[in-house]
Amino acid sequence: MRKNSIFFLLCVTAVISLSPSCKGKKGGSGEAYTLKMRLAKGDKFGQDMDMNMKTNFSVAGQTMDMNMGIKGATSVEVVNSEPDIKELAMTYTKMDMTMEMKGADGTTNTLPSGNSAGKIVGKTVTLKINNKNEIVDVSGFDQIMNNDSLDDATKQQMQKMFSKEQMNSLFGMMFQM
């Protein structure tokens, strides 16, 4: 009988001491937390990317498969850190691309990726991100574009590649996690 009384008393004490901490809400204290990068001038970090895309499309009534791979790496340094805008210098440290197309006849062709991917290694672009960690501006890709060995089609493709929309697509998640 004494054992049951002690056990009952312990249970009542536990319920009484724990109930105020719940504050009548399910799942914890009810406090919200926002997790985000707090970038300060001089901070440095990097990102490695390994992306593979498989696409199936039709050209002139014939189905084709395309496999494209990109392996890249960047290093990032915070060069300016104001409350509303952060300025980041992002330098490409690695960039390899592969592309393979399988035609309707079953033959597979490996397309040369050209040297355009390798031309951005060592180059830096500047990203400006707002206080929500969204990329709002991209600059500095003109140093990549001012390359005599790039044809007009490649330059147009690279302009799309460095647009703020594309940069948000590729890197935005890293800043907004």
Side-chain angles (χ1 to χ4, degrees):
M1 179 75 175
R2 182 173 160 90
K3 233 182 197 185
N4 288 340
S5 296
I6 292 174
F7 178 74
F8 178 76
L9 191 59
L10 284 173
C11 289
V12 169
T13 304
V15 168
I16 291 172
S17 63
L18 291 176
S19 62
S21 68
C22 295
K23 296 181 185 174
K25 296 181 182 178
K26 293 182 180 179
S29 67
E31 295 179 43
Y33 294 95
T34 301
L35 301 176
K36 68 178 188 175
M37 295 180 80
R38 300 201 187 278
L39 301 171
K41 186 175 180 177
D43 285 352
K44 295 179 183 180
F45 56 94
Q47 179 187 28
D48 292 336
M49 176 176 58
D50 189 356
M51 181 173 67
N52 293 300
M53 295 186 300
K54 295 183 182 214
T55 308
N56 180 288
F57 57 95
S58 181
V59 176
Q62 295 196 8
T63 302
M64 302 181 86
D65 295 320
M66 182 175 74
N67 297 325
M68 184 174 157
I70 299 173
K71 291 184 181 196
T74 59
S75 64
V76 181
E77 181 177 358
V78 180
V79 294
N80 194 4
S81 182
E82 298 297 323
D84 292 335
I85 295 286
K86 311 284 189 232
E87 191 173 326
L88 312 173
M90 184 174 75
T91 304
Y92 288 87
T93 57
K94 176 183 175 183
M95 184 60 65
D96 295 317
M97 294 175 67
T98 58
M99 193 178 312
E100 182 180 272
M101 291 194 71
K102 184 176 181 180
D105 61 357
T107 60
T108 301
N109 296 313
T110 302
L111 303 174
S113 64
N115 292 333
S116 58
K119 299 261 186 224
I120 67 172
V121 172
K123 305 291 189 205
T124 301
V125 294
T126 301
L127 307 174
K128 289 186 179 179
I129 61 174
N130 63 17
N131 56 5
K132 294 179 183 176
N133 288 344
E134 301 166 325
I135 298 171
V136 294
D137 188 41
V138 180
S139 61
F141 62 88
D142 50 335
Q143 68 168 309
I144 300 168
M145 301 294 288
N146 291 334
N147 188 328
D148 294 335
S149 65
L150 297 177
D151 59 40
D152 287 338
T154 302
K155 286 181 180 182
Q156 287 177 354
Q157 188 63 33
M158 290 182 87
Q159 280 181 322
K160 291 177 187 174
M161 186 171 134
F162 290 106
S163 69
K164 75 176 181 180
E165 292 80 18
Q166 185 65 22
M167 295 301 272
N168 261 316
S169 175
L170 290 172
F171 299 102
M173 186 184 301
M174 174 175 60
F175 302 122
Q176 295 174 18
M177 70 171 115

